Amino acid sequence: MSDLPRKAVTRTAKLAALPLGIAGRATWGFGKRIVGESAELVGRELQQRTADQLFKVLGELKGGAMKFGQALSVFESALPEEVAGPYRAALTKLQEAAPPMPTRTVHGVLAERLGEDWQELFLEFEDKPAAAASIGQVHRGVWHDGREVAVKVQYPGAGEALLSDLNQLSRFSRLLGPLIPGMDIKPLITELKDRVSEELDYGLEAQAQQSHAEEFSQDPDVLVPQVVHQSDQVLVTEWIDGIPLSEIISDGTPEQRDRAGQLLARFLFSGPARTGLLHADPHPGNFRLLPGGPDGEDDWRLGVLDFGTVDRLPGGLPDTIGESLRMTLDGEAESVYELLCAEGFVRETIELDPDAVLDYLLPIIEPAQVEEFTFTRGWMRSQAARVADPRSPAYQLGKQLNLPPSYLLIHRVTLSTIGVLCQLGATVRLREELEEWLPGFLPEDPVDDEMPAAEA
């Protein structure tokens, strides 16, 4: 029996109450202003109350509602500070915690999927969950061969709950829009729905995680736990300790922040090049900072968890991304525009000024223009404000650009990762990672092309 609210009507009622609550608090705020309280003070109280209710409901429901909250949480850096403050604590709660399943439910799933004698597979198994997420929770244990393991158990009924929540959330996506100014919430929810069946399939997740684990097995900077066992609704992997990235964001040292940011950027761009897969769920709960990097115990490695959502890119990230980025940095407006048109970023029915497109892109790629760049919430907010202000030329141009479906997940993952870098306040040598891992970013060396002829 699922500990998720079992009846669709119960979950729908909880979610449907959100817009009513938001409207009620807006009326309350209007009344407070009538009696003379300042709009700024009332606005902050209103945001706090809205945040409290929104994320309380999302966290309780798990499923698609919590998945949506986690997806939103990485964009927190884009919010104006007076809005971000009330939301920040509530958002980060979704990155690491959710109410647990009853022990009897966990044991029932394990018995059904691993066999009635499932306890014989473990030397130890902790009933209290070590972590919880949108569709399952993780228990710590010791496998029969002595390895410490993480046992991921899927919530019964998670698939139905996931779709139900996301369908309901999409119905009032406009009301949720103000959470992230300048961002269209509906495509985000649509994309999350498109990934539901894939994320529920622990077989696919095991394959993606094992591919990364094998590729990064000797890597001094990145650690991916090996898969130990997999069956429907249960995934057993090696356990890794470490500091959750959410704790580095709140309490980390400058050295930890910079190191975490550098490794996060490295993993974002090197993963597709090395495995043909893009880890597509970059919220802080899926990363750990572990001691024992290339310079010894005082250095750090990045531990990467949760491969339930990946983008399959057999050739790595598309060359178009690197080529357009390089040409933008070089100021080649016409060439950039032609490439964007060819790839469908500009619809055939629309004609734009190439120089205006270049002006739109340059501020966004500022981190790639310099040897190292410090990502800050202020910088992220300035970018969000630039494209969200209807009076801004960037807003008018951005409305006319198109995001082809094949780039949608890449775009969200990149934005999400930048959001986490801004939460970290990390100073990162991003250009170094682009030169090393991003196809098309460095121009082809004509000397290499001529080598066979010269040798002949």
Side-chain angles (χ1 to χ4, degrees), residues 7-60:
K7 296 182 180 179
V9 67
T10 303
R11 301 178 62 79
T12 300
K14 281 177 175 279
L15 286 167
L18 283 174
L20 296 174
I22 291 169
R25 281 187 295 282
T27 304
W28 167 84
F30 179 69
K32 296 270 279 187
R33 286 196 294 276
I34 288 176
V35 297
E37 291 200 21
S38 77
E40 181 183 6
L41 180 61
V42 172
R44 286 181 181 174
E45 287 186 61
L46 189 59
Q47 288 152 5
Q48 179 66 66
R49 288 169 180 243
T50 301
D52 286 346
Q53 188 198 4
L54 175 64
F55 293 104
K56 181 175 184 290
V57 171
L58 295 183
E60 282 178 353

Side-chain angles (χ1 to χ4, degrees), residues 152-424:
K152 191 173 180 178
V153 183
Q154 192 174 115
Y155 304 129
E160 182 183 345
L162 211 60
L163 279 172
S164 172
D165 290 354
L166 292 171
N167 283 330
Q168 182 68 15
L169 282 164
S170 67
R171 293 190 184 105
F172 54 85
S173 57
R174 285 185 181 179
L175 284 166
L176 299 172
L179 286 172
I180 307 292
M183 179 182 175
D184 190 348
I185 296 292
K186 199 156 192 173
L188 172 62
I189 297 174
T190 299
E191 190 223 308
L192 291 174
K193 285 168 61 177
D194 291 344
R195 298 282 164 177
V196 166
S197 59
E198 186 174 309
E199 187 163 358
L200 291 166
D201 189 334
Y202 279 1
L204 286 176
E205 179 172 350
Q207 291 171 18
Q209 179 157 337
Q210 191 59 25
S211 294
H212 280 84
E214 291 172 3
E215 174 60 37
F216 286 90
S217 62
Q218 302 300 316
D219 195 286
D221 296 315
V222 175
L223 174 65
V224 178
Q226 297 274 346
V227 174
V228 174
H229 182 83
Q230 178 270 320
S231 65
D232 288 347
Q233 292 186 288
V234 178
L235 177 60
V236 184
T237 66
E238 291 179 336
W239 179 271
I240 61 171
D241 286 306
I243 309 170
L245 216 58
S246 54
E247 291 184 21
I248 302 297
I249 288 170
S250 59
D251 301 311
T253 66
E255 292 78 15
Q256 288 174 326
R257 292 171 184 274
D258 291 349
R259 180 65 174 159
Q262 190 71 43
L263 295 181
L264 194 61
R266 185 167 301 164
F267 181 70
L268 167 66
F269 291 107
S270 69
R274 297 171 64 174
T275 67
L277 301 167
L278 173 66
H279 183 286
D281 195 7
H283 76 80
N286 287 338
F287 299 96
R288 301 286 184 269
L289 210 56
L290 307 125
D295 293 333
E297 284 302 305
D298 293 334
D299 197 7
W300 299 95
R301 302 173 74 187
L302 185 72
V304 185
L305 309 172
D306 199 337
F307 290 80
T309 306
V310 298
D311 200 3
R312 286 166 173 79
L313 303 166
L317 290 165
D319 289 4
T320 303
I321 296 175
E323 291 170 5
S324 59
L325 184 53
R326 168 172 50 83
M327 291 188 297
T328 301
L329 290 171
D330 292 341
E332 299 176 21
E334 293 286 348
S335 298
V336 172
Y337 184 66
E338 288 175 9
L339 187 57
L340 293 179
C341 288
E343 287 294 308
F345 287 91
V346 181
R347 295 186 182 91
E348 292 181 3
T349 55
I350 291 176
E351 188 170 335
L352 300 174
D353 176 7
D355 289 320
V357 173
L358 193 71
D359 290 341
Y360 174 84
L361 294 173
L362 277 171
I364 301 171
I365 63 169
E366 185 182 355
Q369 294 175 298
V370 291
E371 187 174 330
E372 63 178 26
F373 183 82
T374 300
F375 289 86
T376 65
R377 287 185 166 99
W379 176 79
M380 185 79 164
R381 287 195 296 270
S382 70
Q383 295 302 318
R386 187 175 68 93
V387 299
D389 184 353
R391 299 164 297 181
S392 163
Y395 173 85
Q396 299 299 331
L397 192 144
K399 282 177 61 178
Q400 299 179 79
L401 292 175
N402 178 56
L403 185 62
S406 60
Y407 288 89
L408 180 61
L409 193 55
I410 296 171
H411 179 69
R412 181 170 73 80
V413 171
T414 304
L415 277 183
S416 299
T417 303
I418 290 172
V420 177
L421 294 178
C422 291
Q423 289 178 327
L424 284 165

Side-chain angles (χ1 to χ4, degrees), residues 43-92:
R44 286 181 181 174
E45 287 186 61
L46 189 59
Q47 288 152 5
Q48 179 66 66
R49 288 169 180 243
T50 301
D52 286 346
Q53 188 198 4
L54 175 64
F55 293 104
K56 181 175 184 290
V57 171
L58 295 183
E60 282 178 353
L61 290 177
K62 301 185 179 125
M66 186 177 174
K67 175 59 66 178
F68 170 72
Q70 289 176 333
L72 275 186
S73 71
V74 296
F75 294 106
E76 171 264 325
S77 299
L79 291 165
E81 185 56 37
E82 64 271 16
V83 178
Y87 286 118
R88 194 169 290 141
L91 283 166
T92 52

Side-chain angles (χ1 to χ4, degrees), residues 106-118:
V106 176
H107 288 189
V109 173
L110 293 172
E112 183 179 352
R113 299 304 178 184
L114 301 182
E116 291 297 331
D117 57 351
W118 65 270

